[in-house]
């Protein structure tokens, strides 16, 4: 499960986050769009037990101001809180139906991603940092994106990423990177291209 910043969208005056669900059994992933009130409703349905996550407390309302900073902080907080709720033992009993409804109502299948590359190269030293971004020229039009590499993906594989225009672009994960690491990308809005930084 993930809530990528790049898939968030405004609908009128309401901010919606894309919740990407990837089943453990390898079946097709899907996405549901949820606004902050939907998260708040789920929090209320789960009850006081969902406030016990010391490493992932439910983020309070009133944090939304911009795409970077408070919005991203709240998105990350909601992502961690929702993941802990899904992993909690109550998700198999009392929380099962509210979580199922939240994660499945209005779901839309995603294109097949990740897709294995033909021949991945051997990974370099695991501690090697990802390449740094070149200095932006004043005539560049675009934005930096940062995603968490999905579970089960390693360097050399191709993943699909939804860019701010709503399109899905494919990117090859750099050799040596693995699930859980952050991948920094540049989305050139004029050319419609997505490149690894």
């Amino acid at each position: 499960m993930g809530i990528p910043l790049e898939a968030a969208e405004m609908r009128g005056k309401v901010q919606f986050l894309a919740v990407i669900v990837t089943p453990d059994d390898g079946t097709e992933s899907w996405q549901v769009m949820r606004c902050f009130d939907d998260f708040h409703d789920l929090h209320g349905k789960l009850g006081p037990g969902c406030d016990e996550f010391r490493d992932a407390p439910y983020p309070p309302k009133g944090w939304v101001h911009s795409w970077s900073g408070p919005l991203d902080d709240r998105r990350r907080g909601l992502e961690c809180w929702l993941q802990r709720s899904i992993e909690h033992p109550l998700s198999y009993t009392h929380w099962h139906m509210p979580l199922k409804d939240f994660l499945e109502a209005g779901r839309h299948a995603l294109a097949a991603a990740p897709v294995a590359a033909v021949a991945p190269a051997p990974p370099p030293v695991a501690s090697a940092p990802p390449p740094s971004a070149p200095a932006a020229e004043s005539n560049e039009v675009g934005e930096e994106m940062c995603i968490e590499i999905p579970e089960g993906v390693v360097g050399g594989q191709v993943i699909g990423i939804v860019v701010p225009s709503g399109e899905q672009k494919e990117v090859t994960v750099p050799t040596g990177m693995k699930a859980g690491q952050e991948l920094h990308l540049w989305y050139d809005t004029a050319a419609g291209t997505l490149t690894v930084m």
Side-chain angles (χ1 to χ4, degrees):
M1 187 283 308
I3 304 176
L5 178 62
E6 63 273 8
E9 62 183 52
M10 291 295 290
R11 294 182 182 174
K13 294 182 179 183
V14 180
Q15 180 72 55
F16 279 81
L17 299 175
V19 179
I20 310 292
V21 180
T22 306
D24 291 334
D25 63 6
T27 56
E28 188 175 60
S29 298
W30 69 84
Q31 161 181 301
V32 292
M33 299 301 290
R34 298 290 181 250
C35 66
F36 294 115
D37 284 344
D38 295 329
F39 283 92
H40 184 72
D41 291 345
L42 176 63
H43 179 258
K45 289 176 184 175
L46 299 184
C50 70
D51 288 323
E52 297 175 2
F53 314 129
R54 290 187 181 161
D55 64 331
Y58 183 79
K61 282 188 166 187
W63 278 18
V64 182
H65 299 290
S66 67
W67 283 103
S68 60
L71 172 63
D72 194 36
D73 291 344
R74 186 154 193 230
R75 178 201 60 80
R76 281 187 219 161
L78 289 169
E79 184 176 52
C80 289
W81 172 82
L82 183 56
Q83 186 64 45
R84 295 301 178 276
S85 298
I86 292 168
E87 294 167 351
H88 195 278
L90 286 176
S91 68
Y92 297 101
T93 58
H94 296 40
W95 295 356
H96 178 75
M97 286 311 295
L99 284 168
K100 180 176 172 38
D101 291 344
F102 182 86
L103 295 171
E104 293 187 8
R107 76 188 208 178
H108 298 282
L110 295 177
V115 177
V118 176
V125 179
S127 61
S132 60
E137 296 177 15
S138 60
N139 62 350
E140 286 187 5
V141 178
E143 61 185 90
E144 183 177 344
M145 297 172 59
C146 181
I147 64 147
E148 182 176 313
I149 298 175
E151 192 67 35
V153 175
V154 295
Q157 289 185 309
V158 177
I159 59 174
I161 298 171
V162 178
V163 296
S165 69
E167 298 175 273
Q168 181 170 316
K169 303 287 182 179
E170 290 186 348
V171 170
T172 301
V173 175
T175 301
M177 296 197 78
K178 59 185 178 187
Q181 290 182 310
E182 287 188 352
L183 177 60
H184 295 271
L185 305 160
W186 178 258
Y187 176 60
D188 184 324
T189 53
T193 58
L194 188 63
T195 54
V196 175
M197 296 175 68

